[in-house]
Amino acid sequence: MHIHPKITPIYQTSVFKFEDLNEVEQYFGEPGSRYLYSRNGNPNSDELAAAVNRLEGGAGAVATGSGMAAIFAALLACCQAGDHVLCAADIYGGSSSLLDQELSRLGITVTYVPFEQLYSLGQLVRPTTRLLLAETMSNPLLRVADLRRLAAECHQHGLKLVVDNTFATPVLTRPLELGADIVLHSVTKYIAGHSDVTAGVVVAKDEETAARLKQIGVFYGLTLSPMESWLAVRGLKTLRLRVREHSHNALAVAQFLSAQPSVRAVYYPGLPDHPQHTLAREQGSGLFGGMMSVLLADDAEVVNQFMRRTQRFPFAPSLAGVDSSLSYPLATSHRYLTAEQQDELGISTGLVRLSVGIEPVEELLQDLEQALK
């Protein structure tokens, strides 16, 4: 009996069987012809990696156990002990913690680059500098990097450009097409989209780097599990629809919040007064995503009252699910930065990050209106 499922089954197995020694030799002699052990590769994790690779237009990809694992793999693919990394100062707090607390132990040093200096790296580049890590849209203030210009600056100095494209997704921006060398995602967020998966993926522009990423995934045990991979692929199938609705709702929310007297500032690339609005429109295919940050009064109790009153934006320190949520960078994603670093990045007591979901937008606006009263 031949079975031809429309959907790839879940290969919930840690190991695969062989008939004899000839099949084992085939596995090692013809890479990709068979499966051996799920840490080395599994049909479900390979399906997810291949799907995101197609979306980003890469030469190969690896699915990992988390977004942090994807960042780790990308950095190790380019660096070894004694190397130096440049990193945009406007970066997810977990990325800077990885660089400061863990990769430093491996002999990899880092210099943080203020947003205003990203396109003039000359004075920061050392003979051992290997790459620049940046985000398409920064977390949490939604500053938008000009990736084409950034790639040209990196390549002028012999550096690779590694881009975290989690906020934008390939629906808005495809960094490899703009010159980036590696692009990565926390699949946990928009790729999977339903707040029920923890995963990552890293995509390379060239085959040599893709092979190195695969090797790192196997040796460090970063490979994503079959069940998580299957769930992420299921979520990925509605990515375009979801991102369009996230973007539509977020723009309406940003416009509404901008008119509220109790809101001191709204950071959203879709607003005309955003410093990179024109760039975001061109680089983002006319959409601006579902993430924003708002600045309330610089008073923790004001923030607490807002969190308690809102019903459609629960306080959950993650993002990008179909249901809206809010987060507080000062106490979660960026809490391990020094007070000076937090101040330099504009991460203050009144800053709240909103992840706008795909609910009926009028319900979100009504909820925010009553919460702000």
Side-chain angles (χ1 to χ4, degrees):
M1 180 175 63
H2 295 287
I3 301 175
H4 303 285
K6 181 180 180 183
I7 304 299
T8 303
I10 305 171
Y11 287 83
Q12 194 65 42
T13 179
S14 60
V15 68
F16 297 83
K17 297 186 293 185
F18 293 83
E19 289 291 332
D20 55 26
L21 293 177
N22 292 331
E23 288 195 352
V24 174
E25 290 304 316
Q26 182 185 19
Y27 169 82
F28 287 102
E30 301 175 26
S33 62
R34 300 182 60 87
Y35 290 99
L36 171 78
Y37 186 62
S38 280
R39 175 168 59 84
N40 295 27
N42 177 285
N44 298 114
S45 59
D46 285 354
E47 181 182 30
L48 173 61
V52 179
N53 184 62
R54 284 194 299 273
L55 284 176
E56 290 286 10
V62 172
T64 63
S66 67
M68 287 303 303
I71 296 171
F72 179 69
L75 294 171
L76 282 195
C78 305
C79 299
Q80 61 184 10
D83 283 345
H84 174 241
V85 168
L86 296 177
C87 180
D90 291 83
I91 200 83
Y92 167 56
S95 300
S96 57
S97 294
L98 173 66
L99 287 163
D100 292 339
Q101 299 179 33
E102 294 301 324
L103 292 186
S104 60
R105 296 171 60 243
L106 303 181
I108 298 172
T109 57
V110 58
T111 298
Y112 291 98
V113 186
F115 185 81
E116 297 76 14
Q117 298 180 29
L118 282 176
Y119 310 108
S120 53
L121 301 174
Q123 293 184 340
L124 301 175
V125 175
R126 307 173 187 172
T128 54
T129 307
R130 299 291 174 251
L131 61 86
L132 170 70
L133 173 64
E135 295 171 337
T136 309
M137 297 180 178
S138 72
N139 182 1
L141 291 182
L142 281 298
R143 289 176 167 174
V144 182
D146 186 335
L147 296 183
R148 194 182 301 278
R149 186 179 171 194
L150 201 54
E153 177 67 14
C154 287
H155 296 159
Q156 178 183 342
H157 299 288
L159 310 181
K160 289 186 180 295
L161 175 59
V162 179
V163 176
D164 185 336
N165 200 33
T166 298
F167 272 23
T169 81
V171 176
L172 270 62
T173 306
R174 289 158 59 98
L176 299 182
E177 291 184 352
L178 300 174
D181 300 284
I182 296 176
V183 60
L184 60 93
H185 293 268
S186 175
V187 171
T188 311
K189 312 307 190 298
Y190 285 112
I191 298 291
H194 293 75
S195 304
D196 56 7
V197 171
T198 302
V201 70
V202 55
V203 184
K205 189 173 188 175
D206 65 272
E207 294 182 358
E208 182 180 358
T209 303
R212 176 64 180 138
L213 289 169
K214 175 72 172 178
Q215 185 181 48
I216 290 169
V218 172
F219 289 164
Y220 282 84
L222 306 180
T223 309
L224 185 61
S225 70
M227 184 65 180
E228 300 281 274
S229 300
W230 186 88
L231 284 169
V233 168
R234 184 177 68 167
L236 178 60
K237 292 174 182 177
T238 59
L239 177 65
R240 293 184 184 280
L241 298 175
R242 288 186 285 105
V243 168
R244 288 170 188 161
E245 198 65 14
H246 282 296
S247 299
H248 170 266
N249 283 1
L251 180 59
V253 167
Q255 291 169 338
F256 168 79
L257 291 173
S258 296
Q260 304 308 304
S262 57
V263 175
R264 295 162 59 199
V266 178
Y267 304 95
Y268 183 66
L271 295 176
D273 60 355
H274 187 281
Q276 295 92 41
H277 172 71
T278 301
L279 170 65
R281 185 179 64 242
E282 296 171 352
Q283 193 169 267
S285 307
L287 299 173
F288 303 96
M291 298 303 302
M292 72 182 68
S293 287
V294 298
L295 191 61
L296 304 178
D298 203 24
D299 183 332
E301 188 52 36
V302 170
V303 174
N304 277 331
Q305 290 177 10
F306 174 72
M307 289 179 176
R308 294 183 192 120
R309 290 181 61 86
T310 181
Q311 301 299 310
R312 303 307 296 266
F313 290 83
F315 180 15
S318 190
L319 58 102
V322 291
D323 299 314
S324 297
S325 64
L326 64 81
S327 186
Y328 189 62
L330 194 63
T332 57
S333 60
H334 293 72
R335 72 174 297 135
Y336 295 111
L337 299 183
T338 66
E340 182 182 3
Q341 289 173 317
Q342 292 168 345
D343 186 60
E344 288 176 353
L345 294 176
I347 300 173
S348 62
T349 303
L351 188 71
V352 177
R353 192 188 69 191
L354 300 184
S355 174
V356 181
I358 64 172
E359 305 96 333
V361 68
E362 60 274 9
E363 296 181 11
L364 299 179
L365 298 180
Q366 289 169 4
D367 183 54
L368 288 169
E369 183 177 24
Q370 65 83 24
L372 288 169
K373 289 180 180 177

